[in-house]
Structure formats: C-alpha cells, structure tokens
Amino acid sequence: MSKPPSFSLHHGALSVSNLPRTMAFYERVLGFKESSRVSVPELSLEIVFMQKGDDYLELFCHKDARPLPDFCKDNLTDFQVIGTKHIAFEVADPQAFHQHLAAHGVADLSEIFDNNPTYFYFFFRDPDGITLEVISPKRS
C-alpha cells in the first residue's frame, strides 16, 4: 500500500452562537485575527476565517444557532459520542499560558495534568462552551 501525498492540516471549524463575541475571545485570549469573511444569506450563515501565523480557525455562525448539547459540556460523557472532541493548541510554557488564561477569566480552566508521559495538558472552554486543550511537550 502506498503512502498518501504530503499534506498539512489547514484549519479547524467551529459553529458559534455570537460571531462578534467569539471573534473577540479568540483575538483577545489567543491572538487570532480575522483573515477573511463570507456571508451565505441563503443558508442564514456568516463564515469567518481567523488566523494566527500558519494556524486557522473557521467560525460558522447561523442566525438560528442552537446551544451546545448538555452531553458535550462534560468531557467524560462527550467521549462516548462520535465526533470531534476538541481543538488543541501547543505551547512551550504550560504554566505561563495557564496563568494567561486565568487572567482572562476563561471558563472551566482545568488544572495542568501531568499523567501523560510525553506532554502536559489542560482544558478550558470558549464562550459557547466548546472544549479547547493546551498541550506542551515534556522536555528531557
């Protein structure tokens, strides 16, 4: 069997309820900036690409957005459901980044976990309750 051609991951996409609020969060807390926007009136949809360096997030905002289901608000119950679980951001200094997020008052900021042999990690949530993860490789 042959290997696939070379590729890289371009973006993750999130459906959100309030585009200005979400864009402000990702800009203020994580440093993303709007890179493009499109309106799709026939679908009642606004789409914004946000960029930080070579990383992109695509935000979908439907005029009749429905809230995140309760089972997705708890990682332990959400693991049982097929689908995307979270987006992870890699950082060099997990303690400094954790302090940065705490200073911004992000929701559901977990402790920094040290139970993985290769990296530290922790979780927090965006304004719609979408789970985000921060990982930091352990250095030998």
Side-chain angles (χ1 to χ4, degrees):
M1 181 172 250
S2 66
K3 291 183 179 180
S6 178
F7 70 92
S8 62
L9 183 64
H10 184 266
H11 70 273
L14 306 172
S15 290
V16 303
S17 65
N18 181 314
L19 198 52
R21 177 188 70 184
T22 301
M23 289 175 65
F25 172 84
Y26 283 98
E27 184 171 331
R28 178 178 48 85
V29 176
L30 298 175
F32 282 87
K33 303 282 185 202
E34 179 179 338
S35 66
S36 66
R37 178 186 292 249
V38 64
S39 183
V40 188
E42 64 274 16
L43 297 178
S44 301
L45 191 63
E46 292 290 321
I47 304 169
V48 171
F49 266 99
M50 298 195 76
Q51 179 179 4
K52 182 176 180 185
D54 293 332
D55 302 321
Y56 291 88
L57 287 176
E58 184 178 22
L59 304 177
F60 294 102
C61 189
H62 192 277
K63 79 171 184 79
D64 295 321
R66 290 185 261 159
L68 192 67
D70 285 341
F71 64 80
C72 291
K73 296 176 183 175
D74 180 325
N75 288 342
L76 296 179
T77 56
D78 192 37
F79 288 143
Q80 299 170 324
V81 179
I82 302 299
T84 305
K85 301 296 118 189
H86 60 262
I87 294 175
F89 302 102
E90 184 176 332
V91 302
D93 184 342
Q95 289 79 14
F97 205 81
H98 194 273
Q99 291 171 351
H100 167 78
L101 294 174
H104 280 85
V106 300
D108 296 327
L109 181 59
S110 76
E111 65 181 292
I112 299 173
F113 297 104
D114 186 13
N115 60 355
N116 183 294
T118 57
Y119 57 86
F120 299 100
Y121 66 99
F122 62 91
F123 298 96
F124 65 105
R125 295 188 187 273
D126 81 354
D128 281 303
I130 297 169
T131 301
L132 303 170
E133 181 182 22
V134 173
I135 66 167
S136 181
K138 291 181 177 177
R139 311 270 186 241
S140 310

